[in-house]
Amino acid sequence: MKASTTSRPRVLSLVELEVDAMQRLEAVANVDVRPWTETLKLADPDELAEEIDAKDVQALFVEADFVLEETFEAAPGMQFVGICRGDSGHVDIEAATRAGVVVTHAPGRNAEAVAELTIAMMLALLRGIPGAGAYVQERRWEDPVSAYVEMRGSELGRQVVGMIGLGRIGRQTARLARAFGARVLATDPALSDEQIRAAGCESAGLHDLLAAATMLAVQCPSLESARGLIDAEALALMPRGSRLVVTTGEGVVREGDVAEALHDGHLAGAAFDVFDTHPIRPDSPLLDAPNVLLLPHIGGATDATVQRYSAMVVDDFMAFLDGRRPERIVNPEVLSRRA
C-alpha cells in the first residue's frame, strides 16, 4: 500500500550512504544523515525515539543501532526501518509489525568482501605473508637463500577446504577457493545435499569434513545451536598441520582450544576476523599464540559493501513510497495491516 505521506517524507539515516543512492533519496525525501561510523557511538534508544517523534521522522536507516519496542511505541509516525545489513537481530521485528512498520534488510551486502578477505587470510597463512613482510622490514633479510628454504609455504590449490556454513558468504568463498583449484567440502544443516552440490561443493557430515580438511573456514551464523561447535575435540579430528580461518560466527570457535592447538603444533596456523567479543578481550589466549593472524573485524569494510547496502535500502524505500512490496522485506505480514 502506498505510504500515507502528504509531503516529502523525512528520513533519518544512522548509516553512511553512497553518493548515488543519497542523490536518489534526496530527490524524494528530506534526509538527515548521521552515520555511527562518524559519531563513533550508537544512539541511545530513548533519545532516538524522542528525536524520531519530535522531527516527524517516517523512515529510519540503521546498521549497528538498536531499535527496540519502546522506540516503536514512542514514535507512532515511523513507517519504515531499513536495516543496512543481513542480520536483523538488533531490531525488534515483532514490535515493528505490531506498530505497522515495514522493515527491510540487506542480505549479502558484504558477502563478496568477506569471501575475498577469507581467501586472503588463507593465502597469508599458507605463505606466511605477515611474518615474511616483517622479516624484510625489520632488516633481518641478509641471506638471499635462507628465506627461500625456511619460508617455503603451501598452495591453496592443493588444499582440502572445509566449509562450516554455506550461506551467501560461504558460497562466495567456495567459488573463489575452487578457482584456485582447491577441493571444497561443505556442511550446513539448513541445506540439502543437493543444494550443497549445486553450489559446487561436496556435501559431508561434520566429522568427515573435519577429518579431511587441511583448511577449515568457519562461516556460519552465531546461533546458539552452533556455539562452541569447533572445540578441542573437533580440532583433534583435523589433520595435523591443518589451518583454520574464522570470518563469521562469533562464539562458534573456542578461542582457548585453538590457542592450545597452535601451541602444540596440531594446527599450523589460524586466522580470525571475529572473536567472542569486539574488540578482542585483552586476556584472550589467541594474543599470545604462535602462527596466528588476528584482524579487527574488517571483513565487510569495503566501499562496495557501502554501495550495495545503500542501493538495497534506497530501492526498497522507493518501492515502499510507490506502494509496492519492498524486495527485501523482513516482515511481509505487516503489509496486510497497512492495507
Side-chain angles (χ1 to χ4, degrees):
M1 181 177 179
K2 196 163 186 174
S4 57
T5 55
T6 56
S7 59
R8 288 166 59 89
R10 189 174 297 277
V11 177
L12 172 61
S13 179
L14 300 181
V15 60
E16 175 187 359
L17 294 174
E18 184 265 343
V19 173
D20 289 346
M22 183 67 180
Q23 291 176 344
R24 292 171 54 212
L25 186 62
E26 288 180 326
V28 299
N30 297 323
V31 188
D32 180 10
V33 181
R34 194 171 66 243
W36 68 273
T37 49
E38 293 182 8
T39 64
L40 300 181
K41 64 179 182 179
L42 301 182
D44 177 270
D46 293 331
E47 294 177 0
L48 179 61
E50 292 178 4
E51 179 179 6
I52 292 171
D53 189 43
K55 295 182 177 179
D56 191 26
V57 171
Q58 285 92 46
L60 175 68
F61 297 169
V62 296
E63 182 178 22
D65 292 274
F66 290 85
V67 188
L68 308 178
E69 180 178 14
E70 294 79 5
T71 306
F72 292 107
E73 291 177 346
M78 187 163 61
Q79 302 176 40
F80 181 96
V81 172
I83 305 172
C84 296
R85 61 191 297 177
D87 179 20
S88 59
H90 58 303
V91 174
D92 191 329
I93 303 301
E94 292 184 1
T97 303
R98 288 195 298 272
V101 177
V102 169
V103 181
T104 67
H105 65 154
R109 99 283 190 209
N110 65 353
E112 190 66 35
V114 178
E116 288 187 3
L117 183 68
T118 302
I119 296 297
M121 294 165 79
M122 290 180 180
L123 295 171
L125 291 180
L126 290 166
R127 298 304 303 270
I129 293 173
Y135 180 77
V136 176
Q137 287 185 297
E138 293 168 3
R139 296 172 172 78
R140 290 184 284 124
W141 186 29
E142 299 176 351
D143 181 349
V145 176
S146 60
Y148 183 80
V149 176
E150 295 169 6
M151 297 183 182
R152 183 170 296 165
S154 302
E155 298 172 8
L156 182 52
R158 298 294 185 93
Q159 306 304 306
V160 177
V161 176
M163 304 289 306
I164 307 293
L166 202 63
R168 288 180 172 84
I169 294 172
R171 290 195 295 272
Q172 291 281 15
T173 301
R175 177 181 63 83
L176 295 175
R178 291 196 311 274
F180 278 85
R183 177 188 174 198
V184 182
L185 311 181
T187 183
D188 190 320
L191 302 177
S192 66
D193 291 346
E194 291 75 13
Q195 288 173 312
I196 290 175
R197 287 194 291 269
C201 305
E202 298 177 39
S203 180
L206 180 61
H207 185 284
D208 291 339
L209 182 147
L210 292 170
T214 58
M215 180 70 73
L216 184 67
V218 177
Q219 297 187 319
C220 60
S222 301
L223 302 176
E224 189 61 34
S225 58
R227 193 160 192 84
L229 179 67
I230 306 302
D231 56 9
E233 182 178 351
L235 294 170
L237 292 173
M238 298 177 65
R240 187 171 184 82
S242 53
R243 296 170 175 85
L244 168 71
V245 173
V246 185
T247 48
T248 68
E250 295 90 332
V252 175
V253 177
R254 294 197 181 277
E255 296 177 4
D257 292 351
V258 172
E260 289 184 16
L262 289 167
H263 279 293
D264 68 23
H266 185 74
L267 284 180
F272 285 75
D273 188 47
V274 298
F275 305 91
D276 292 344
T277 61
H278 292 92
I280 188 173
R281 299 192 320 271
D283 62 346
S284 171
L286 290 174
L287 291 168
D288 297 315
N291 303 319
V292 65
L293 174 61
L294 307 176
L295 302 182
H297 196 38
I298 58 172
T302 67
D303 292 339
T305 293
V306 176
Q307 189 279 328
R308 289 189 195 97
Y309 75 61
S310 297
M312 289 178 183
V313 72
V314 172
D315 283 349
D316 281 337
F317 182 59
M318 295 292 196
F320 169 76
L321 289 180
D322 289 343
R324 296 179 285 112
R325 176 190 172 111
E327 180 180 346
R328 287 160 288 269
I329 189 168
V330 176
N331 56 343
E333 62 274 20
V334 77
L335 297 178
S336 61
R337 297 173 62 94
R338 298 181 60 86

